[in-house]
Amino acid sequence: MPTPLDNVMRSKNAVLAFSGLVTAALAWSMWGGSIFPTQPDPTGDPESWTREELRRWLAARNLHPQERDTREQLLERVKANM
């Protein structure tokens, strides 16, 4: 008489689900967990950086730029933290 474990192992869905998990883990390890690599820090004078570069610089340092901050506010925060 088959046990419940035997019935699960015969299930095609369980085999496909396990195969999917193994494939996902393999893909994750191949890409190193970083599918979209981060952009490098902007260089040069912060006065010439765009608003997005200012936000990226602050976010990389866990200074939490707000979406509603103006470019001038962001620039002031960057200069204060350099």
Side-chain angles (χ1 to χ4, degrees):
M1 174 178 269
T3 65
L5 182 59
D6 291 331
N7 291 333
V8 168
M9 294 306 289
R10 287 189 199 158
S11 171
K12 196 182 289 187
N13 290 338
V15 171
L16 291 175
F18 180 73
S19 299
L21 288 173
V22 169
T23 303
L26 177 67
W28 186 263
S29 68
M30 284 174 44
W31 281 322
S34 178
I35 294 174
F36 302 108
T38 58
Q39 295 179 336
D41 272 354
T43 58
D45 182 24
E47 295 282 342
S48 63
W49 295 353
T50 64
R51 183 175 183 273
E52 287 306 311
E53 288 174 326
L54 293 166
R55 293 187 80 245
R56 189 172 64 230
W57 190 91
L58 290 167
R61 286 149 183 83
N62 292 326
L63 296 173
H64 309 292
Q66 301 297 316
E67 189 65 38
R68 64 183 183 276
D69 288 344
T70 65
R71 185 182 181 287
E72 289 73 26
Q73 290 171 325
L74 294 171
L75 180 60
E76 183 180 325
R77 288 183 63 197
V78 166
K79 286 183 176 182
N81 287 291
M82 283 191 119

